[in-house]
Amino acid sequence: MPIIRVEMFKGRSVDQKRALVKELTDAFVSAAGGTPESVHVVITDVDKEDWGSGGQLCSDKFPD
Amino acid sequence: MPIIRVEMFKGRSVDQKRALVKELTDAFVSAAGGTPESVHVVITDVDKEDWGSGGQLCSDKFPD
Amino acid sequence: MPIIRVEMFKGRSVDQKRALVKELTDAFVSAAGGTPESVHVVITDVDKEDWGSGGQLCSDKFPD
Amino acid sequence: MPIIRVEMFKGRSVDQKRALVKELTDAFVSAAGGTPESVHVVITDVDKEDWGSGGQLCSDKFPD
Amino acid sequence: MPIIRVEMFKGRSVDQKRALVKELTDAFVSAAGGTPESVHVVITDVDKEDWGSGGQLCSDKFPD
Amino acid sequence: MPIIRVEMFKGRSVDQKRALVKELTDAFVSAAGGTPESVHVVITDVDKEDWGSGGQLCSDKFPD
């Protein structure tokens, strides 16, 4: 019943998300046990203007 | 001051959200006490391509 | 696959948590559809000294 | 390595978010120590129709 | 700057958590790119009496 | 109605948490508007063995 949440910068493709769900699920089962069927993964895409680091917006710090 | 968060697949109507807020708030007060006025509910709509279950994207597993 | 999270002041009994899980699950299904089997509820007990409201710790504002 | 998350009604400007990241980071360091460089802030804009208070949708309770 | 959160039943050892952090971080970088240095992982151990599934407490449903 | 959550290493005193709630609330109001009365702050103390950075547990990376 584990739940894994990922917050990351917006911009990954569906293929990357598909791989991410697969690999995080496998990683969880390998390290902590349980079955893949029970693992949930919820991905949140975050805009750079909604993420701050070191007191600065990431949209200012890491412009595209 | 309780906070209830709901993550669910995108696609519910405003009427369903209105009912959800009302019924979750009543359920909380009935089971745990307190007053409805103090209860917050925050709803997050999640795309099926941002939700994984059993190592697969829900957009692959449960196509519309 | 909905996930419901509850943050509330520490101190509810297991019986209250049992009722809370049951009633929140029923409330979700009644308002938003789906099946009870797919609903997860995760409860977080929060100490009053870890909750602030109006700029004050709740342990100061609402002493036991 | 502290992580600060903010959920607030949608509608703040980028300038307000820039100020928010700066001021929350400074507030954290002033009150709890550490360095600004290590502080992360993640902002979530929430629609009024996704926020309930007192059993009502905020879009009903506080129309624009 | 990605943040990965894991909620799972209480009871894993520090060795399992060490492996979990390593494997989730590698999984993220492999699937989504970026560097391991930027990945944060936050683990939350959840009591079975704080987790509900299908309307029942997991402490009732899956007793130890 | 904004909600601010803070995840930080365990070990701050109640006085530091009191200051943190006060200063984060003031910072929010100064940068984003609204009233202090409406701001909630929820603090989560995280063990170093539940926090990973760069693929390592913080309890290994930053021993006390």
Side-chain angles (χ1 to χ4, degrees):
Chain A
M1 226 108 38
I3 302 170
I4 300 172
R5 277 145 216 298
V6 182
E7 291 167 299
M8 60 186 189
F9 285 154
K10 190 167 282 187
R12 266 73 177 205
S13 67
V14 176
D15 278 349
Q16 283 178 302
K17 291 181 178 183
R18 184 178 288 117
L20 189 58
V21 162
K22 176 77 173 70
E23 298 198 25
L24 290 175
T25 300
D26 289 349
F28 182 88
V29 172
S30 159
T35 64
E37 285 66 34
S38 67
V39 179
H40 286 268
V41 179
V42 180
I43 299 170
T44 304
D45 290 321
V46 181
D47 272 319
K48 284 185 179 176
E49 71 180 46
D50 289 320
W51 200 308
S53 167
Q56 282 186 275
L57 284 184
C58 290
S59 51
D60 293 334
K61 209 168 167 176
F62 311 111
D64 290 319
Chain B
M1 227 110 35
I3 302 170
I4 301 172
R5 278 145 213 298
V6 182
E7 291 166 300
M8 61 185 188
F9 286 155
K10 189 168 283 186
R12 266 73 176 204
S13 66
V14 175
D15 278 349
Q16 283 178 302
K17 291 181 178 181
R18 184 177 289 117
L20 190 57
V21 162
K22 175 77 174 69
E23 298 199 24
L24 290 175
T25 300
D26 289 348
F28 183 88
V29 172
S30 159
T35 64
E37 284 64 37
S38 66
V39 179
H40 287 267
V41 179
V42 181
I43 298 171
T44 305
D45 289 321
V46 181
D47 272 320
K48 285 184 178 176
E49 72 179 47
D50 288 320
W51 199 308
S53 167
Q56 281 186 276
L57 284 184
C58 290
S59 52
D60 294 335
K61 211 170 165 176
F62 311 111
D64 291 320
Chain C
M1 227 110 36
I3 302 170
I4 300 172
R5 280 147 213 297
V6 182
E7 290 166 301
M8 59 185 188
F9 286 154
K10 190 168 283 184
R12 265 75 176 203
S13 67
V14 176
D15 278 349
Q16 284 179 302
K17 291 181 177 181
R18 184 178 289 118
L20 190 57
V21 161
K22 176 76 172 70
E23 298 199 24
L24 290 176
T25 301
D26 289 350
F28 183 88
V29 172
S30 160
T35 66
E37 284 66 35
S38 66
V39 178
H40 287 267
V41 179
V42 180
I43 298 170
T44 305
D45 289 321
V46 181
D47 272 319
K48 283 184 179 176
E49 71 180 46
D50 289 320
W51 200 308
S53 167
Q56 281 186 275
L57 283 184
C58 289
S59 52
D60 293 336
K61 210 170 167 176
F62 311 111
D64 290 321
Chain D
M1 225 111 36
I3 302 170
I4 300 172
R5 274 146 216 299
V6 182
E7 291 167 299
M8 60 185 189
F9 286 154
K10 189 167 283 184
R12 266 75 177 203
S13 67
V14 176
D15 277 349
Q16 283 178 303
K17 292 181 177 182
R18 184 178 289 116
L20 189 58
V21 162
K22 175 77 173 69
E23 298 198 25
L24 290 175
T25 300
D26 290 350
F28 183 88
V29 172
S30 158
T35 65
E37 284 66 35
S38 67
V39 179
H40 286 268
V41 179
V42 180
I43 298 170
T44 304
D45 289 321
V46 181
D47 271 320
K48 283 186 180 176
E49 71 179 47
D50 288 320
W51 200 308
S53 167
Q56 281 186 276
L57 284 184
C58 290
S59 52
D60 293 335
K61 212 170 166 176
F62 311 111
D64 290 320
Chain E
M1 227 107 37
I3 302 170
I4 300 172
R5 276 146 215 299
V6 181
E7 290 165 302
M8 61 185 188
F9 286 154
K10 190 168 282 185
R12 267 73 177 204
S13 66
V14 176
D15 278 349
Q16 283 178 302
K17 291 181 177 181
R18 184 178 288 116
L20 190 57
V21 161
K22 175 79 172 70
E23 298 199 25
L24 290 175
T25 300
D26 289 350
F28 183 88
V29 172
S30 159
T35 66
E37 284 66 35
S38 66
V39 178
H40 287 268
V41 179
V42 180
I43 298 171
T44 305
D45 289 322
V46 181
D47 271 319
K48 283 184 179 176
E49 72 180 47
D50 288 321
W51 199 308
S53 166
Q56 281 186 274
L57 283 184
C58 290
S59 52
D60 294 335
K61 210 170 168 177
F62 311 111
D64 290 320
Chain F
M1 227 111 34
I3 303 170
I4 300 173
R5 281 146 211 298
V6 182
E7 291 166 300
M8 60 185 189
F9 286 154
K10 189 168 283 186
R12 265 75 177 204
S13 67
V14 176
D15 279 348
Q16 283 178 301
K17 291 181 177 181
R18 184 176 289 117
L20 189 58
V21 162
K22 175 78 172 71
E23 298 199 25
L24 290 175
T25 301
D26 289 349
F28 183 88
V29 172
S30 159
T35 66
E37 285 66 35
S38 67
V39 178
H40 287 268
V41 179
V42 180
I43 298 171
T44 305
D45 289 321
V46 181
D47 272 319
K48 283 185 180 176
E49 72 181 45
D50 288 321
W51 200 307
S53 167
Q56 281 185 276
L57 284 184
C58 290
S59 52
D60 294 335
K61 211 169 166 176
F62 311 110
D64 289 320

